Amino acid sequence: MADDRTTFLLTADDIPTHWVNIAADLPGDPPPPPLSPRTGQPAGPEDLAAIFPMALIEQEVSAEASIAIPDAVRDAYQLWRPTPMRRARRLEQALNTPARIYYKYEGGSPAGSHKPNSAVPQAYANKEAGITRLATETGAGQWGSSLAFACSLFGLECEVWMVGSSYDQKPYRRSMIQTWGGTVHRSPSDRTEAGRANASHPTGSLGIAISEAVEVAAQREDTNYALGSVLNHVLLHQTVIGIEAIAQMEMAGDRPDVVIGCVGGGSNFGGIAFPFLREKLRGDRDVRFVAAEPAACPTLTRGVYRYDFGDTAGLTPLMPMYTLGHDFVPAPVHAGGLRYHGDSPLVSALVRAGLVEARAYRQNETFEAAVRFARTEGVIPAPEPAHAIRAAIEEAEAAREAGEKRVILFNLCGHGHFDLAAYDAYLAGTLEDPEFSDADMQDALTRLPEAPLLA
Ligand SMILES: *Cc1c(COP(=O)(O)O)cnc(C)c1O
């Protein structure tokens, strides 16, 4: 086996047949259940059935360790999967580190990120359930464009509420949604109660946009809602990333000591981490996990572990998670996909249990890492995975200090071709470096919903 390979490729036959459901392997008590926003009691399938198809609700609550991927979904996955894993030899050399750095690259999908891994099975499940329209929100535009793409594959209509600041900054993400046949509204919009109630926040937020899409889905029989992150079934779909990476690390003859992903709602992180975590929990592997988030929206490192709404208006079930308060509006950093007040209940529980370490980075230091990566490895990363790159560089530098051949694997979950205005600002030295407003969070925390405290 040549020792100088940089790329590890699988074939169509290697597309995973099953997703990894980490819920089945979690140690200790099962994670606390979501609560109905109406009754405050554990949310049953009926609380979700107004906006989700039963197949996805079953995945959401499943206790099975593996869940079969429908043939139609595996077939569509072939449009961009399996994705490559590469060894970042040039970055290693530039860092003068004995560490070996690998990255899984999800930027080659039609939408340019990991999001289609879940958009496709969600569109498929809705189509099978007889739904004709999906409503959703999008931050930076990654999820909205991915869902529009997936809807085009299965003949569904797609209606997207896009966070106002991104709508203005990323016109080409709108073009993609429209090219795939979707419709885009700037959020807050005047088409929903939630939008009209938030007209005083013209830059919008993910929480507000979710409220608008959920409101529309709840009102119309033919329309369901699709969420691009946070929920168990979304993280489940993303585990194709880590399943492939396990096979590719075997091809490379290496085992990661640390697996890293950026975290907005937790889906790309869970996607790469959970298959490795399952092996660790079963005693077959020794590996650490690092979740990287923006210092301007430090949910895992500064938030509280409490029940909170997933959206601003309080329409979604209450979820047990780290939160900055559902009406906290983070500074408009360019990593729009990481500007979310909450986090996946699964990832939150793992951070709580000490199985995942969370770290927060400032905007300028992440762009410094992104530019370093682009100048050594070529790919211009999206601002979100730049946080994972920053953490990977930190690990490689620590390995150099310790004289350790540490093996690092991170998820490069998207390219930055629609984020070049942010790169322009960084290169011109005018990129803002917003701080987190502790006062705003403390204020938002006074409006947490009434719910039992979590242990
Ligand atoms: C949506 C998105 C994220 C954040 O979402 P997660 O669910 O935490 O993965 C990060 N990176 C990119 C490129 C995204 O599109």
Side-chain angles (χ1 to χ4, degrees):
M1 187 171 66
D3 199 33
D4 55 356
R5 283 183 298 172
T6 56
T7 296
F8 303 90
L9 298 175
L10 302 168
T11 68
D13 292 335
D14 303 313
I15 292 176
T17 56
H18 291 75
W19 291 299
V20 169
N21 181 21
I22 197 68
D25 279 82
L26 288 184
D29 295 333
L35 304 178
S36 157
R38 288 175 294 109
T39 64
Q41 296 303 308
E46 51 313 330
D47 287 292
L48 302 173
I51 56 173
F52 293 117
M54 203 44 78
L56 296 181
I57 296 173
E58 280 166 10
Q59 292 173 7
E60 186 66 20
V61 300
S62 172
E64 300 291 321
S66 298
I67 296 179
I69 304 178
D71 286 341
V73 171
R74 290 187 75 224
D75 194 48
Y77 275 168
Q78 282 195 60
L79 295 173
W80 72 97
R81 307 210 70 81
T83 62
M85 186 189 80
R86 299 220 162 81
R87 179 157 165 206
R89 289 181 183 275
R90 292 170 177 81
L91 178 62
E92 291 169 14
Q93 274 157 18
L95 294 170
N96 190 24
T97 176
R100 297 193 287 281
I101 307 174
Y102 295 88
Y103 63 94
K104 182 77 167 149
Y105 185 48
E106 293 291 311
S109 79
S113 75
H114 63 291
K115 294 283 195 328
N117 297 332
S118 184
V120 164
Q122 291 196 47
Y124 173 74
N126 278 288
K127 169 80 178 177
E128 288 291 290
I131 290 294
T132 59
R133 272 168 99 242
L134 287 178
T136 197
E137 76 295 329
T138 196
Q142 291 274 17
W143 171 246
S145 54
S146 299
L147 192 69
F149 155 67
C151 284
S152 77
L153 292 180
F154 298 106
L156 299 173
E157 282 178 54
C158 183
E159 193 170 16
V160 182
W161 272 265
M162 187 165 182
V163 175
S165 55
S166 299
Y167 186 95
D168 302 335
Q169 280 167 8
K170 310 224 161 134
Y172 296 127
R173 280 275 164 205
R174 283 191 257 152
S175 313
M176 291 174 83
I177 294 170
Q178 288 161 345
T179 300
W180 278 311
T183 312
V184 201
H185 310 295
R186 191 184 186 286
S187 171
S189 76
D190 58 8
R191 299 171 158 262
T192 66
E193 298 237 347
R196 290 186 289 273
N198 281 287
S200 61
H201 292 294
T203 56
S205 73
L206 269 179
I208 297 168
I210 295 174
S211 300
E212 296 206 73
V214 169
E215 188 180 317
V216 167
Q219 282 164 1
R220 288 186 54 153
E221 273 291 296
D222 61 351
T223 304
N224 265 347
Y225 169 68
L227 187 60
S229 187
V230 180
L231 298 178
N232 300 348
H233 69 269
V234 183
L235 275 66
L236 173 84
H237 299 153
Q238 293 293 350
T239 58
V240 289
I241 302 171
I243 298 168
E244 289 177 7
I246 285 178
Q248 287 162 308
M249 288 300 305
E250 269 169 28
M251 289 171 84
D254 244 339
R255 286 169 82 80
D257 296 307
V258 56
V259 174
I260 301 169
C262 66
V263 176
S267 77
N268 89 84
F269 173 80
I272 193 155
F274 288 176
F276 288 96
L277 176 63
R278 173 157 91 180
E279 295 193 347
K280 176 179 171 132
L281 293 171
R282 291 181 178 183
D284 299 335
R285 188 181 279 279
D286 187 18
V287 52
R288 292 183 290 123
F289 299 94
V290 173
E293 64 181 9
C297 188
T299 315
L300 295 172
T301 50
R302 304 278 296 273
V304 295
Y305 188 58
R306 286 280 300 271
Y307 271 110
D308 199 1
F309 297 114
D311 67 326
T312 302
L315 302 175
T316 71
L318 299 172
M319 290 180 292
M321 61 183 178
Y322 282 96
T323 178
L324 302 169
H326 57 274
D327 60 6
F328 176 80
V329 179
V333 288
H334 289 275
L338 307 187
R339 285 182 71 227
Y340 184 58
H341 69 271
D343 243 307
S344 142
L346 282 171
V347 173
S348 295
L350 289 164
V351 169
R352 185 79 176 167
L355 282 160
V356 171
E357 180 198 340
R359 295 185 200 157
Y361 299 104
R362 299 290 291 265
Q363 176 151 267
N364 271 288
E365 62 184 354
T366 63
F367 271 87
E368 181 192 29
V371 168
R372 197 164 199 183
F373 187 80
R375 290 180 184 177
T376 48
E377 295 298 320
V379 177
I380 299 177
E384 291 89 354
H387 293 73
I389 296 172
R390 179 79 203 182
I393 290 176
E394 254 183 26
E395 288 285 334
E397 286 174 341
R400 184 181 61 208
E401 300 305 309
E404 233 179 76
K405 287 193 192 289
R406 196 174 294 184
V407 179
I408 301 162
L409 170 65
F410 73 89
N411 195 18
L412 181 47
C413 59
H415 67 63
H417 298 181
F418 295 99
D419 304 284
L420 293 174
Y423 278 87
D424 281 347
Y426 173 76
L427 295 171
T430 58
L431 186 66
E432 287 176 8
D433 212 23
E435 290 211 48
F436 169 66
S437 169
D438 194 53
D440 285 357
M441 175 187 73
Q442 293 303 336
D443 176 51
L445 293 182
T446 63
R447 289 181 296 280
L448 283 181
E450 268 183 50
L453 287 179
L454 297 166

